[in-house]
Amino acid sequence: MEQDPNKGMPPAEEKKTEEEKSSTGLDQNVGGLLAYLLGAVTGIIFLIIEKENNFIRFHAMQSVLVFGGLFVIGIVVNFIPIIGILINLIIAPVSLILWIILMIKAYQGERYHLVVAGKMAEEQLEKFN
């Protein structure tokens, strides 16, 4: 009869795999969530400090692309009289909803790809590796 190597360990430690380790010491779902916390800022921070975990690095890259892009679009449309204000009134709630959804998906451990940004994030991570 084989001995279970995880026998006697708390249930949370039994489920951890090699892929869930990160150089930051965070669980990967927490690291993924934090990569979105302050938008592109925390995305950049996690891209710099996280060296091992591709799950966290993916969410950090997607955060930089999505929220950095929305920030730039918001600034550019501000230069358009009247229409720019209306566009920003649309961008703000969309950004908030996206922010919440992406943080929830990352915390659930899902590598959630947005249509364009998800593919771009994967491609950029391939270049870094």
Side-chain angles (χ1 to χ4, degrees), residues 66-67 70 93-103 112 114:
V66 170
F67 297 108
L70 287 170
V94 168
S95 296
L96 177 65
I97 292 167
L98 257 177
W99 180 65
I100 292 169
I101 290 171
L102 290 171
M103 285 198 311
Y112 188 74
L114 292 174

Side-chain angles (χ1 to χ4, degrees), residues 34-105:
L34 291 175
Y36 292 111
L37 189 63
L38 298 176
V41 174
T42 49
I44 291 169
I45 291 169
F46 272 93
L47 280 175
I48 293 170
I49 64 173
E50 179 58 57
K51 303 294 180 201
E52 296 174 12
N53 191 296
N54 280 331
F55 179 83
I56 295 173
R57 290 182 57 79
F58 165 76
H59 284 291
M61 180 63 74
Q62 185 165 261
S63 177
V64 169
L65 293 172
V66 170
F67 297 108
L70 287 170
F71 178 75
V72 169
I73 289 170
I75 288 175
V76 170
V77 298
N78 272 335
F79 291 108
I80 305 170
I82 301 171
I83 296 174
I85 294 170
L86 295 174
I87 293 172
N88 270 330
L89 287 174
I90 295 169
I91 290 175
V94 168
S95 296
L96 177 65
I97 292 167
L98 257 177
W99 180 65
I100 292 169
I101 290 171
L102 290 171
M103 285 198 311
I104 290 170
K105 294 291 187 181

